[in-house]
Amino acid sequence: YISAFFLVFFLTPTYTVFGQCAAGESEVVVEILTDNYPGETTWTLSDASGVLLTGGPYSGQNTTYTASTCILDAEEPTCLQFVIDDSYGDGICCGYGNGAFTLLIDEVEVATGGNFGYQDIVMFDCAPGTTCNDAVVLTDADYGTVAQASDNFWYTFVPPANGMYEFSSCGAGCNTTLYIHDYCNMNNFGDTNEGTIYYDDMEGGCGEEATITALLDGGEQ
C-alpha cells in the first residue's frame, strides 16, 4: 500500500487564525490556498466527537487562509478526518488557479492536495494501520508471518528487487480479502477491487482466505 504526498509552495496573501495550545496539547493547522473561484470551496475537520473546524466559502482569490485547533496528546491517536468540497466539481488545483490544502500537526506537514473533483477526504493522526496514510512498514524482517492487530489493516512495502512476491492469509482461519494499491487516497477505496493493482477475495485457492502472487518492481513503494 502506498502513502504519497505532493508538496507545493506559493507566495500569496495570507489570512491566519491561530489557537494557543496548552501543555499536553498539539496544534492542528489547516491551510487553504484558494483558486480563482474561492466561493466554491468549503471544508470541515472532525474527530470522533464531531466537527472541530470549518472553513469557506471564501472571497479572496489565490489567497492562503489558515485556521487551527488544539487536540489532547493522548496515548491513542485521535484519528482526524478532513473533508474538502468544491461545489463546481473541479477541485482547487490545476484548473482555474493553483489552489491547495495543507494539514499540519505541531508544524509538521501530514498531508497536502487539491487535485480532486467534488470532494476529497483525508484521514490522519490515526492508529498505525488504520488508513493508508498510517500504513505500517513491512521489511524483510516480516517475511514469514505477520500478526495483525485488528480486523482491517494497512501496510506499505518496498520490494528489494524485481520479482514475484506472495501475500497470503491461507491458514489464518478467518475470512480475508487482500488489496494491493500503488497510491493512497482513502476516499477512492472501498470493499471492491476498484483502484487495486492486485486483489483476492476467495479466488486464491484456500477457501475464504486469500492469496496473491504479485509481480512487483524493486525499489517501488
Side-chain angles (χ1 to χ4, degrees):
Y1 299 86
I2 298 304
S3 296
F5 302 114
F6 302 93
L7 180 63
V8 184
F9 291 98
F10 298 94
L11 297 176
T12 60
T14 300
Y15 294 88
T16 303
V17 180
F18 280 121
Q20 187 68 38
C21 296
E25 294 181 332
S26 291
E27 184 181 44
V28 180
V29 176
V30 177
E31 292 182 355
I32 303 292
L33 173 63
T34 60
D35 60 6
N36 293 345
Y37 296 92
E40 299 172 356
T41 302
T42 57
W43 59 269
T44 60
L45 177 72
S46 307
D47 65 6
S49 66
V51 175
L52 301 175
L53 288 172
T54 62
Y58 297 102
S59 58
Q61 296 179 331
N62 306 308
T63 300
T64 299
Y65 292 85
T66 305
S68 71
T69 188
C70 300
I71 60 173
L72 290 175
D73 289 332
E75 291 185 6
E76 291 295 325
T78 306
C79 204
L80 302 171
Q81 177 174 275
F82 173 76
V83 180
I84 184 169
D85 295 288
D86 182 87
S87 60
Y88 192 76
D90 60 353
I92 59 174
C93 168
C94 313
Y96 298 97
N98 291 314
F101 67 81
T102 304
L103 310 175
L104 306 97
I105 298 179
D106 291 333
E107 300 183 351
V108 177
E109 181 184 305
V110 295
T112 188
N115 188 9
F116 59 93
Y118 284 98
Q119 185 178 84
D120 197 6
I121 299 175
V122 177
M123 298 179 67
F124 63 102
D125 195 40
C126 301
T130 304
T131 74
C132 59
N133 296 304
D134 308 279
V136 171
V137 176
L138 293 177
T139 69
D140 55 4
D142 298 303
Y143 291 178
T145 301
V146 174
Q148 185 163 300
S150 64
D151 290 340
N152 300 315
F153 211 85
W154 287 84
Y155 303 92
T156 180
F157 175 63
V158 178
N162 294 349
M164 305 296 293
Y165 293 84
E166 183 182 35
F167 303 87
S168 176
S169 65
C170 296
C174 59
N175 188 1
T176 312
T177 306
L178 292 175
Y179 309 76
I180 299 181
H181 301 272
D182 59 357
Y183 72 104
C184 173
N185 186 332
M186 292 298 293
N187 194 36
N188 291 352
F189 301 148
D191 294 331
T192 70
N193 64 349
E194 185 175 357
T196 64
I197 58 172
Y198 291 96
Y199 170 87
D200 183 50
D201 182 18
M202 297 188 292
E203 299 293 333
C206 54
E208 288 188 331
E209 295 147 352
T211 184
I212 292 171
T213 301
L215 176 62
L216 301 177
D217 294 329
E220 296 293 328
Q221 191 179 32

